[in-house]
């Protein structure tokens, strides 16, 4: 049992439960303690030394993040000794850190930089003594690490291990040689890394960044030969506002569309269109699996980090994963086939750009099998293998998109809302909630229920699968048949559901797995910071938008219906399989 | 990796199947069993696959302890002390003698952190900060044995007997 203890902070008395650290006690008392390496609930390595406080009776300064409170403890957070020590510790970190902040992608958004300002560090007299120069890690399609900027706080290591249980990185070497790296410095692209980018969300410096595709996208826009289509994922509209000073949870769909139109993309479309399409295909796949005794539970396939995770860690469950491509990839193949034909444009002249909340999508777009449009046109246009082109050409993160909007001189804040272009910009509320954990499940059940019963779900909102609980469950009666579902987000939580499957004890028919905490709205491509409270607000914005949509079920999307009528024919049909489905490979890396 | 090595490692893993620090014990033994006294990448990969200890964690451990070698070692290992006492008593002379007379491979830039092996893998040369035997300076360790008051002539004779 925790008991209450009397403590003193800066000579004021407090009564607090004794199961907390000095850091938490100070926060509870409204006193700010600076931290760089600490990450609530994830990491307390006590490596940065900024949270030091004086404790009466203790010889040395104590690190608040790893010191527990006790009866009678007297803490001082603002003495000369404390201020001096914090400054010195920060100066020591800065000594080995490059000073070219102006050129850094994290300029003005860097925790280290703001900390230097906050602690009033105006000079740094320590020499840079980091000797060994480890080359930048450029091996991944999604992420990029510049060791020189790293301050070895190890937040990335802890997130990769504690939240995602991927363990792709660790601190290797000692002293001056210490650096965060993969097995034998082979690089993230040659490791277990699933490209989720949770590491870069918590990096306090510019050491970890998403691979930028901004320059390539500008070139596409500037190329008069190219017909440039942009698609934006559901989670973007609930977060990009933060980049322009709106409070978290502000839906900015109209402004986003307006900004993209001003940037002279030829068409501004919506990944939500293909999210609806995903629901039709995936819903039918689920029904077919249930009816024909196929592999159950079926697991969603929208999250490319999860797909990579399965391929590397759970090759045994690949049969359980829906063969549906993710909405991003479905959009790419539809745009370069159906839409190209409709507009009578050579598919090779079309460039499909995505805006994604996700760093793993950059990897996904480059998977060699994601060239369905090329395969489709191969015969007709007499193409050789060397002429191959990807379904999706470039992937921007929410942050990169915001950078481009700023660079284009667009006054995002004061834009009046505009609407997506037709037809691939048409979508429903079911697609909007894809961006939140549980959203795909809810959207799929709305449609599956209709497909099986011919009527609308009595209540469209499936509250059981909403919210930020690690694993959520629901059970639904559809025409006398119980359908059990589960939803997880954050890969650590996924492991629980996967273990059940491996042991043959999974009680579910359908499982949604999202790589990132909170689902796509918490993706590695989203605005920084992205704490728990911010995630909740972004999720709120998506549900709000769903509520306000006229059409809230994927199977009622008229543009998707038209696509089936004029092109695909029927769900899971021959054309669908060619363009909208895929298969997975992976032998796993552990025996 | 050949099945014989794999079998050997299987046995070692089995021996260290429980408890804290099992990885250290395992790696120590695998290195000892290796004919070149080092941990090849494929052996470490094999350990990761078999134990589910993350690859990066293993790499973190083997790069933390200077005891572990990631490159093949010579049949014999000579460690020269480069502490202050040994330096004043001429350890540099010993070092330079070895450098001049044997063909070492590796980055030879820092006397205080030397780690070289001859091309024929007969001899590994390392420098050490201090053995704590300053009264016997200069001190040299040869294959685990400490030699005090070392002279170039004595060392030459020892190496000739290898």
């Amino acid at each position: 049992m925790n008991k209450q203890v009397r403590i003193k902070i800066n000579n004021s008395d407090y009564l607090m439960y004794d199961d907390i650290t000095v850091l938490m006690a100070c926060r509870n008392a409204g006193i700010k303690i600076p931290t760089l390496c600490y990450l609530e609930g994830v990491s307390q390595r006590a490596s940065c030394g900024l949270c030091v406080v004086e404790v009466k009776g203790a010889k040395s300064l104590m690190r608040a993040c790893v010191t527990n409170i006790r009866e009678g403890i007297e803490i001082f957070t603002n003495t000369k000794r404390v201020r001096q020590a914090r400054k010195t510790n920060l100066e020591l970190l800065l000594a080995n850190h490059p000073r070219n902040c102006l050129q850094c992608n994290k300029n003005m958004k860097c925790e280290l930089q703001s900390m230097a300002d906050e602690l009033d560090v105006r000079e740094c007299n320590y020499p840079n003594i980091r000797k060994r120069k480890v080359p930048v890690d450029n091996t991944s399609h999604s992420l990029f690490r510049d060791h020189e900027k790293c301050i070895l706080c190890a937040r990335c290591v802890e997130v990769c291990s504690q939240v995602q249980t991927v363990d792709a990185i660790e601190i290797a070497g000692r002293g001056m040689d210490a650096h965060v790296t993969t097995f034998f410095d082979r690089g993230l692209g040659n490791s277990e890394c699933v490209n989720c980018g949770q590491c870069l969300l918590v990096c306090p410096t510019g050491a970890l960044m998403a691979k930028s595709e901004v320059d390539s996208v500008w070139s596409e826009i500037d190329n008069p030969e190219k017909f440039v289509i942009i698609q934006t994922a559901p989670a973007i509209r609930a977060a990009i506002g933060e980049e322009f000073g709106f409070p978290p949870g502000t839906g900015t769909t109209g402004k986003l569309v307006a900004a993209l139109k001003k940037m002279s993309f030829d068409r501004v479309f919506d990944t939500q269109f293909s999210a609806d399409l995903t629901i039709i295909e995936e819903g039918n796949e689920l029904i077919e699996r249930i009816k024909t005794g196929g592999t159950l539970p079926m697991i969603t396939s929208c999250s490319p980090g999860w797909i990579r995770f399965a391929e590397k860690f759970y090759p045994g469950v690949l049969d359980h994963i829906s063969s549906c491509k993710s909405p991003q990839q479905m959009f790419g193949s539809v745009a370069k086939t159906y839409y190209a034909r409709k507009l009578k444009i050579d598919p090779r002249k079309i460039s499909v750009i995505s805006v994604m909340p996700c760093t793993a999508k950059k990897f996904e777009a480059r998977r060699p099998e994601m060239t369905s449009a090329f395969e489709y046109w191969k015969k007709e246009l007499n193409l050789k293998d060397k002429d191959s082109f990807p379904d999706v050409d470039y992937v921007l993160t929410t942050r990169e998109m915001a950078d481009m909007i700023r660079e284009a001189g667009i006054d995002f804040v004061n834009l009046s809302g505009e609407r997506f272009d037709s037809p691939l910009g048409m979508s429903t509320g079911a697609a909007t909630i894809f961006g939140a954990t549980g959203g795909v499940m809810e959207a799929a059940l709305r449609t599956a229920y209709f497909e099986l019963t011919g009527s609308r779900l009595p209540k469209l909102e499936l509250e059981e699968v909403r919210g930020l609980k690690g694993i959520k469950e629901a059970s639904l009666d559809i025409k006398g048949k119980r359908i059990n579902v589960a939803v997880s987000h954050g890969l650590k939580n996924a492991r629980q559901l996967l273990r059940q499957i491996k042991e043959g004890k999974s009680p579910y028919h359908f499982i949604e797995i999202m790589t990132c905490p909170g689902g796509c709205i918490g993706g590695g491509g989203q605005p920084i910071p992205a704490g728990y409270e911010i995630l909740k607000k972004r999720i709120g914005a998506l549900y709000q938008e769903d509520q306000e949509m006229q059409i809230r079920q994927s199977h009622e999307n008229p543009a998707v219906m038209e696509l089936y009528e004029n092109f695909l024919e029927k769900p899971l049909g021959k054309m669908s399989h060619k363009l909208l489905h895929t298969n997975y490979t992976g032998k796993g890396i552990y025996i | 990796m050949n099945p014989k090595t794999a079998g050997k490692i299987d046995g070692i893993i089995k021996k260290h199947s429980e408890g804290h620090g099992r990885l250290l014990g395992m790696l120590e033994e695998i290195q000892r069993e290796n004919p070149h006294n080092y941990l090849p990448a494929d052996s470490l990969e094999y350990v990761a696959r078999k134990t589910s200890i993350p690859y990066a964690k293993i790499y973190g451990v083997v790069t933390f302890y200077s005891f572990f070698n990631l490159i093949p070692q010579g049949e014999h290992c000579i460690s020269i002390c480069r502490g202050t006492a040994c330096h004043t008593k001429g350890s540099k002379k010993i070092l330079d003698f070895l450098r001049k007379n044997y063909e070492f491979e590796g980055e030879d830039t820092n006397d205080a952190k030397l780690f070289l092996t001859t091309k024929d893998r007969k001899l590994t040369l390392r420098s050490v900060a201090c053995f704590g035997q300053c009264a016997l300076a200069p001190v040299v360790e040869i294959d685990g044995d400490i030699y005090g008051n070392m002279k170039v002539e004595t060392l030459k004779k020892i190496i000739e007997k290898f």
Side-chain angles (χ1 to χ4, degrees):
Chain A
M1 266 301 275
N2 301 320
K3 59 176 197 292
Q4 283 196 310
V5 291
R6 275 169 302 220
I7 65 168
K8 264 191 179 164
I9 308 176
N10 300 339
N11 294 317
S12 300
D13 294 301
Y14 298 93
L15 199 60
M16 290 190 197
Y17 282 103
D18 69 347
D19 61 338
I20 56 170
T21 59
V22 170
L23 178 66
M24 292 319 289
C26 290
R27 284 190 180 171
N28 291 346
I31 294 162
K32 194 175 170 194
I33 306 275
T35 55
L36 271 183
C37 67
Y38 177 77
L39 211 53
E40 195 174 337
V42 179
S43 178
Q44 43 185 137
R45 286 217 176 190
S47 63
C48 74
L50 294 192
C51 69
V52 286
V53 294
E54 243 181 295
V55 172
K56 196 176 176 186
K59 247 198 315 196
S60 55
L61 296 173
M62 309 295 277
R63 297 187 184 214
C65 68
V66 288
T67 309
N68 269 48
I69 60 165
R70 55 185 152 73
E71 176 66 36
I73 190 170
E74 286 187 46
I75 302 155
F76 299 92
T77 68
N78 183 21
T79 62
K80 188 177 177 192
R81 193 174 162 214
V82 166
R83 287 194 306 271
Q84 209 63 57
R86 285 178 184 166
K87 254 187 187 176
T88 304
N89 286 343
L90 187 57
E91 278 174 51
L92 286 167
L93 288 176
L94 291 172
N96 291 325
H97 187 85
R99 310 287 162 74
N100 54 349
C101 294
L102 280 181
Q103 284 91 51
C104 180
N105 204 288
K106 268 287 194 67
N107 190 25
M108 320 269 285
K109 299 166 205 153
C110 170
E111 263 184 78
L112 184 67
Q113 196 183 40
S114 9
M115 191 59 80
D117 183 48
E118 202 172 298
L119 297 188
D120 200 30
V121 172
R122 301 294 161 211
E123 55 184 21
C124 175
N125 295 320
Y126 302 101
N128 184 337
I129 46 165
R130 194 180 283 176
K131 282 183 207 133
R132 182 152 309 170
K133 297 270 182 278
V134 187
V136 293
D137 179 1
N138 213 357
T139 54
S140 158
H141 283 309
S142 300
L143 310 168
F144 177 85
R145 182 189 290 279
D146 183 349
H147 295 276
E148 266 202 82
K149 293 179 183 165
C150 175
I151 57 166
L152 296 173
C153 70
R155 278 182 181 177
C156 54
V157 175
E158 293 295 336
V159 162
C160 191
S161 175
Q162 305 298 319
V163 178
Q164 300 296 52
T165 60
V166 169
D167 289 293
I169 44 176
E170 183 51 276
I171 291 186
R174 247 201 304 185
M176 285 305 125
D177 294 330
H179 60 292
V180 177
T181 191
T182 53
F183 188 66
F184 275 86
D185 299 315
R186 284 175 187 172
L188 288 167
N190 306 314
S191 75
E192 306 87 309
C193 175
V194 301
N195 309 305
C196 72
Q198 288 298 310
C199 51
L200 68 83
L201 289 183
V202 298
C203 178
T205 72
L208 264 169
M209 256 148 8
K211 273 270 182 72
S212 173
E213 294 178 41
V214 167
D215 290 343
S216 314
V217 174
W218 281 127
S219 313
E220 294 292 272
I221 295 176
D222 294 338
N223 184 348
E225 295 285 299
K226 284 286 176 82
F227 188 85
V228 189
I229 296 175
I230 190 154
Q231 55 161 327
T232 82
I236 314 300
R237 63 210 68 194
I240 197 165
E242 292 164 36
E243 287 277 336
F244 299 97
F246 285 103
T250 313
T252 51
T253 316
K255 286 183 195 296
L256 173 62
V257 175
L260 297 179
K261 288 194 170 172
K262 281 201 187 325
M263 292 179 70
S264 41
F265 287 106
D266 293 297
R267 289 291 183 279
V268 178
F269 283 149
D270 198 347
T271 314
Q272 289 191 183
F273 166 84
S274 47
D276 279 329
L277 183 58
T278 305
I279 288 298
I280 310 285
E281 290 291 324
E282 201 163 302
N284 278 288
E285 187 186 348
L286 176 66
I287 292 166
E288 191 181 273
R289 285 193 191 210
I290 292 174
K291 280 187 178 157
T292 61
T295 309
L296 289 172
M298 186 174 91
I299 313 177
T300 56
S301 56
C302 316
S303 180
W306 144 239
I307 297 298
R308 202 78 192 122
F309 185 71
E311 287 176 332
K312 299 224 177 193
F313 294 89
Y314 289 90
V317 307
L318 292 178
D319 285 349
H320 288 265
I321 303 176
S322 160
S323 64
C324 288
K325 285 183 187 171
S326 74
Q328 159 172 283
Q329 294 306 136
M330 282 198 187
F331 183 95
S333 31
V334 170
K336 289 191 178 180
T337 55
Y338 168 68
Y339 192 62
R341 218 176 252 297
K342 203 169 162 134
L343 255 57
K344 300 194 174 65
I345 300 180
D346 186 328
R348 288 167 292 184
K349 290 200 166 141
I350 296 180
S351 182
V352 173
I353 317 287
S354 337
V355 192
M356 292 287 141
C358 180
T359 44
K361 288 280 172 196
K362 288 176 185 277
F363 171 84
E364 182 185 56
R366 276 167 187 71
R367 287 180 74 116
E369 67 273 23
M370 294 298 173
T371 52
S372 303
F374 164 70
E375 297 294 337
Y376 171 89
W377 288 106
K378 208 169 168 182
K379 221 168 164 187
E380 195 173 326
L381 296 179
N382 197 17
L383 301 174
K384 303 270 169 319
D385 281 344
K386 66 170 174 47
D387 304 322
S388 175
F389 54 86
D391 294 336
V392 172
D393 296 83
Y394 298 104
V395 181
L396 300 168
T397 61
T398 316
R399 295 185 301 270
E400 287 171 68
M401 193 69 248
D403 286 345
M404 289 182 73
I405 293 173
R406 269 189 291 265
E407 195 183 346
I410 293 165
D411 180 11
F412 188 89
V413 176
N414 295 311
L415 288 175
S416 357
E418 288 188 45
R419 295 173 78 91
F420 285 104
D421 291 320
S422 233
L424 308 186
M426 183 91 191
S427 74
T428 73
T432 306
I433 58 175
F434 257 61
T437 161
V440 176
M441 177 59 69
E442 190 172 328
L445 289 178
R446 288 179 190 177
T447 289
Y449 189 89
F450 176 82
E451 296 282 337
L452 287 167
T453 63
S455 55
R456 186 186 157 105
L457 254 176
K459 187 171 180 284
L460 284 186
E461 297 82 12
L462 204 66
E463 297 293 344
E464 297 98 310
V465 297
R466 295 186 174 192
L468 284 173
K469 218 177 110 194
I471 291 176
K472 296 164 281 187
E473 293 175 290
S475 186
L476 215 67
D477 196 320
I478 304 182
K479 256 170 67 183
K481 181 154 176 58
R482 277 258 139 232
I483 301 290
N484 301 321
V485 302
V487 170
S488 77
H489 57 119
L491 291 171
K492 185 184 186 179
N493 294 321
R495 280 191 189 265
Q496 275 190 56
L497 300 173
L498 295 167
R499 197 173 308 128
Q500 287 177 330
I501 295 177
K502 252 176 122 176
E503 291 166 359
K505 289 177 188 158
S506 181
Y508 308 111
H509 298 89
F510 191 26
I511 294 175
E512 175 200 302
I513 292 181
M514 289 296 159
T515 308
C516 294
C520 306
I521 49 96
Q526 290 282 66
I528 301 171
Y532 194 80
E533 290 306 313
I534 293 175
L535 298 190
K536 270 207 278 197
K537 288 187 178 134
R538 290 179 189 162
I539 289 175
L542 290 180
Y543 286 126
Q544 172 84 28
E545 192 158 318
D546 166 40
Q547 204 81 44
E548 289 162 0
M549 300 275 264
Q550 273 177 349
I551 308 177
R552 298 179 61 197
Q553 302 182 90
S554 298
H555 55 271
E556 292 176 355
N557 182 331
V560 171
M561 294 304 105
E562 202 185 302
L563 170 67
Y564 277 110
E565 247 162 61
N566 299 335
F567 190 67
L568 293 174
E569 290 174 11
K570 61 177 199 302
L572 307 183
K574 215 173 139 199
M575 190 65 91
S576 286
H577 268 287
K578 245 168 109 173
L579 296 179
L580 310 180
H581 290 256
T582 184
N583 46 51
Y584 310 105
T585 46
K587 292 197 292 270
I589 52 167
Y590 296 101
I591 292 172
Chain B
M1 197 166 45
N2 68 53
K4 211 176 135 202
T5 316
K8 227 183 224 170
I9 296 178
D10 281 335
I12 295 171
I13 292 173
K14 216 168 172 186
K15 242 166 80 185
H16 300 271
S17 58
E18 268 169 55
H20 258 340
R22 60 188 272 249
L23 180 62
L24 276 182
M26 229 182 269
L27 296 174
E28 221 182 304
E29 213 172 319
I30 294 170
Q31 177 165 300
R32 204 184 316 134
E33 291 289 326
N34 183 286
H36 300 292
N37 188 34
Y38 83 115
L39 294 165
D42 63 351
S43 292
L44 295 177
E45 280 168 22
Y46 190 77
V47 172
R49 279 209 305 279
K50 284 284 179 164
T51 60
S52 294
I53 297 171
Y55 290 76
K57 281 238 147 81
I58 294 178
Y59 189 59
V61 168
V62 297
T63 53
F64 183 84
Y65 295 100
S66 58
F67 171 81
F68 292 121
N69 306 315
L70 294 179
I71 44 174
Q73 302 296 292
E75 256 168 70
H76 301 280
C77 179
I78 302 180
S79 304
I80 314 264
C81 180
R82 293 292 294 139
T84 318
C86 290
H87 178 72
T88 54
K89 289 282 204 170
S91 73
K92 172 95 170 145
K93 223 192 267 171
I94 301 174
L95 205 59
D96 288 340
F97 158 75
L98 289 170
R99 269 193 184 126
K100 210 185 283 168
N101 290 282
Y102 299 90
E103 236 184 306
F104 288 105
E105 285 181 321
E107 198 189 340
D108 187 0
T109 48
N110 185 352
D111 268 10
K113 252 188 166 180
L114 218 53
F115 194 169
L116 305 167
T117 299
T118 53
K119 274 187 184 156
D120 61 4
R121 298 239 176 105
K122 281 266 192 281
L123 206 60
T124 289
L125 171 63
R126 306 179 75 157
S127 59
V128 172
C130 182
F131 283 113
Q133 302 287 344
C134 307
L136 301 175
V139 180
V140 169
E141 181 196 45
I142 303 170
D143 292 336
D145 296 327
I146 299 282
Y147 294 77
N149 302 315
M150 182 54 76
K151 288 185 185 66
V152 168
E153 283 310 306
T154 328
L155 185 60
K156 217 167 146 185
K157 273 183 201 149
I158 294 174
I159 295 175
E160 272 162 15
K161 276 192 206 149
F162 275 164

